[in-house]
Amino acid sequence: MTLDLLQRQLLQLVKCEPTGPFDDAYLNEVAACEGLLAIRDIARSWNEFSVARMCPLTCRLLEQRGELAAAIAALTAAEQPSAFVEDLAALFLDQQVRSGVVIVADVARFEVAMLSLCLGRTTSEIVEWHHDPDVVLGSLAASRVVVASPVGTYRTVVSLDLPGLYRLCDPLPEGR
Amino acid sequence: MPVLEVSHDRPVRPDGDNSADRAQGRARSAVGTTYGGHDPELLEAVLPLVSYIEVTPDTLAVQGPDGPSLPAHVLAELRDISTQATVIVHGIGLSIGTVTGPSTDYLRLLDTLLEHVDVAWHSEHLGYTTVDGQFLGTMLTLPRTDEALDMLCPRVEYLQNRYGLPFLLENVVHLLPDPDGAYTEAAFLNQLTGRTGCGLIVDAYNLRCDAHNYGLDIDAFLTELHTDAVQEVHIAGGATRGSLMLDVHSRLVAPETMSVAQAILDRSPQVAVTVYEVMREAVPVLGRPAIAAELLAIAEGGKG
């Protein structure tokens, strides 16, 4: 096996559950070894540690909902463009924005904006919500279980100029 | 066997000159440690105790829309450190063993760092972290084949020419079984150093992991290795998972690791420094005083 092919095969094994048996005896040996499981565990642990630091609100919400482990597993299996935590956090938040769970997507969008602010990529941004952000963010900040308010349309402005970096905008008119 | 034995009436020489000790039949080196940035308390605790500070560009960098970069305040801190200790660079993200090519982002970081900070040498792990532009989430070793050597040697030579600084490669822990190779562990490293003139970092803890996990004979490895190429020794403490020892630099150094480090030093006349590696995330857990005490114990030969 060429080095190129070997590396591609090992990438698949590290990223995914093995789909063997393989034609190659060495790949079968790798697929069955304890070290492969350890490598996956290490990657999962690092990813969880990193996103918990970079995206604490989304992680806390997912943990409350019992969905954090699955989210980390999905993140670890995804194509990661780099080892940088900023890239990892962006990928994780993007996955959550696309999760289809409205409240999770709301919080993830808010943390995307906060991350952009902290990394100097923007100075101000509007984030739209489907639940009252004061209730959601207040609960998460206090580590209380989030009880979603009735669905509505809300907006927060995220800005370096604001104390606390965000504020709730005036409610939008009905039917917006 | 004495552990990094240092007589208590003579401090470790900051220049790492151990000729007198070697004449007395014991080898020693200067001591260094890792610095991951953003931790002036740690710096304050360790700088009086070490002669070398090891920094990793990847962990100091911030990712931006134009790729990763080293912020001005990070460079300023490193410049300040370089007035008090010798700075050495130890990369993680070069991924020198990736078939499709090493990381150009890492090289840009290194360009910036070397432009702004005096560095004695730079180094990388002999492995790879990316494949096809994807981050593996770990570091894997290369098969010990001529194909791998033919890929690596021109890259090492390129790095040596590009920066005009000594370049060292470090042995990496094997967590996966090795594919069939043409060389033993030591013979592969001998080929690399012989063909390129690069130096080596031998990580004593990694050797212990390999011995524990898949039966590496450390004594045979060191006997076969051309130890004149070894310029730096690493020591660390790590974790276990099931029956495996893992290369996670999260703990103090075990006496057994110190014994391996001493065995390396005893055979390697060119070693300038022994670096105690602690990952940034472990610093608050271990505590800065404990890290400082560990460095003092290492320097005074009180470990083990």
Side-chain angles (χ1 to χ4, degrees):
Chain A
M1 191 187 314
T2 64
L3 187 52
D4 188 29
L5 182 58
L6 174 70
Q7 293 191 349
R8 288 169 201 267
Q9 298 275 22
L10 290 179
L11 171 69
Q12 292 305 313
L13 278 168
V14 167
K15 284 285 181 183
C16 315
E17 295 302 318
T19 53
F22 300 91
D23 291 337
D24 185 278
Y26 172 69
L27 294 177
N28 283 319
E29 186 186 357
V30 172
C33 79
E34 186 185 355
L36 182 64
L37 299 177
I39 282 172
R40 289 177 180 157
D41 270 0
I42 293 167
R44 266 195 296 267
S45 299
W46 272 114
N47 287 346
E48 183 168 358
F49 179 84
S50 300
V51 294
R53 188 160 59 91
M54 299 292 286
C55 330
L57 300 175
T58 308
C59 285
R60 208 169 291 168
L61 179 61
L62 288 168
E63 193 165 26
Q64 284 184 10
R65 297 169 58 88
E67 296 167 357
L68 183 59
I72 297 296
L75 175 69
T76 306
E79 290 188 14
Q80 289 181 33
S82 83
F84 288 97
V85 289
E86 295 88 350
D87 287 339
L88 187 72
L91 175 62
F92 176 71
L93 292 173
D94 184 59
Q95 287 179 332
Q96 301 317 311
V97 167
R98 296 167 187 270
S99 66
V101 181
V102 172
I103 193 166
V104 172
D106 280 359
V107 175
R109 261 194 305 274
F110 177 75
E111 284 205 303
V112 168
M114 291 295 271
L115 202 57
S116 296
L117 209 63
C118 294
L119 295 175
R121 295 172 187 173
T122 183
T123 53
S124 178
E125 213 162 293
I126 301 287
V127 181
E128 303 221 346
W129 294 74
H130 300 85
H131 297 280
D132 186 339
D134 260 3
V135 174
V136 175
L137 294 174
S139 300
L140 289 172
S143 294
R144 290 194 307 268
V145 174
V146 175
V147 180
S149 58
V151 174
T153 305
Y154 306 85
R155 289 191 306 171
T156 48
V157 58
V158 171
S159 169
L160 286 173
D161 297 330
L162 295 170
L165 300 180
Y166 82 96
R167 72 173 164 77
L168 185 62
C169 298
D170 292 335
L172 292 176
E174 286 297 320
R176 167 197 164 272
Chain B
M1 177 181 286
V3 177
L4 284 177
E5 186 175 323
V6 177
S7 59
H8 288 267
D9 55 344
R10 285 201 314 123
V12 174
R13 289 187 53 144
D15 59 6
D17 179 0
N18 59 12
S19 52
D21 297 284
R22 198 169 300 284
Q24 293 173 35
R26 63 187 179 217
R28 44 184 256 174
S29 76
V31 175
T33 194
T34 319
Y35 181 60
H38 311 292
D39 195 345
E41 278 180 60
L42 178 66
L43 268 186
E44 192 180 331
V46 303
L47 269 176
L49 304 172
V50 300
S51 312
Y52 288 76
I53 291 288
E54 174 195 278
V55 297
T56 297
D58 331 44
T59 62
L60 297 169
V62 175
Q63 179 68 295
D66 302 321
S69 62
L70 291 164
H73 70 274
V74 168
L75 293 169
E77 185 178 44
L78 294 182
R79 271 197 303 274
D80 189 43
I81 292 170
S82 73
T83 64
Q84 300 170 71
T86 301
V87 174
I88 48 180
V89 172
H90 188 45
I92 294 174
L94 175 62
S95 202
I96 194 168
T98 297
V99 168
T100 48
S103 164
T104 52
D105 279 347
Y106 178 84
L107 292 179
R108 276 194 293 273
L109 289 175
L110 197 53
D111 289 345
T112 306
L113 198 154
L114 296 180
E115 190 181 319
H116 289 86
V117 184
D118 285 334
V119 165
W121 62 80
H122 70 115
S123 60
E124 245 302 338
H125 299 81
L126 182 50
Y128 59 102
T129 56
T130 59
V131 175
D132 265 350
Q134 282 194 60
F135 178 54
L136 278 162
T138 188
M139 184 175 287
L140 297 181
T141 57
L142 287 159
R144 298 188 294 272
T145 61
D146 286 315
E147 184 189 11
L149 280 172
D150 290 343
M151 176 190 71
L152 287 167
C153 289
R155 294 179 180 182
V156 171
E157 286 161 354
Y158 172 80
L159 289 165
Q160 290 170 326
N161 292 332
R162 179 178 172 117
Y163 297 112
L165 283 175
F167 177 65
L168 320 183
L169 282 166
E170 178 187 352
N171 61 307
V172 177
V173 168
H174 298 68
L175 282 176
L176 300 180
D178 276 327
D180 291 336
Y183 300 93
T184 63
E185 192 83 30
F188 189 75
L189 295 173
N190 291 344
Q191 284 287 324
L192 260 178
T193 56
R195 284 168 58 171
T196 68
C198 76
L200 293 177
I201 297 172
V202 178
D203 188 312
Y205 180 71
N206 290 359
L207 290 183
R208 281 195 61 222
C209 290
D210 282 350
H212 176 86
N213 295 342
Y214 77 97
L216 174 73
D217 182 334
I218 295 175
D219 188 60
F221 167 81
L222 291 176
T223 300
E224 189 182 3
L225 188 69
H226 295 166
T227 48
D228 276 358
V230 182
Q231 293 171 33
E232 187 175 335
V233 174
H234 283 181
I235 50 177
T240 57
R241 180 197 181 278
S243 66
L244 293 176
M245 282 176 66
L246 303 180
D247 178 24
V248 181
H249 299 152
S250 56
R251 303 203 176 155
L252 302 180
V253 186
E256 295 85 349
T257 304
M258 298 301 293
S259 296
V260 173
Q262 187 64 54
I264 300 165
L265 283 175
D266 286 343
R267 299 175 195 221
S268 310
Q270 306 299 328
V271 172
V273 58
T274 299
V275 175
Y276 170 40
E277 290 190 306
V278 184
M279 61 183 188
R280 181 172 57 185
E281 293 77 5
V283 171
V285 180
L286 286 173
R288 293 159 188 86
I291 292 168
E294 187 76 342
L295 288 168
L296 195 59
I298 291 165
E300 292 181 343
K303 287 289 293 181

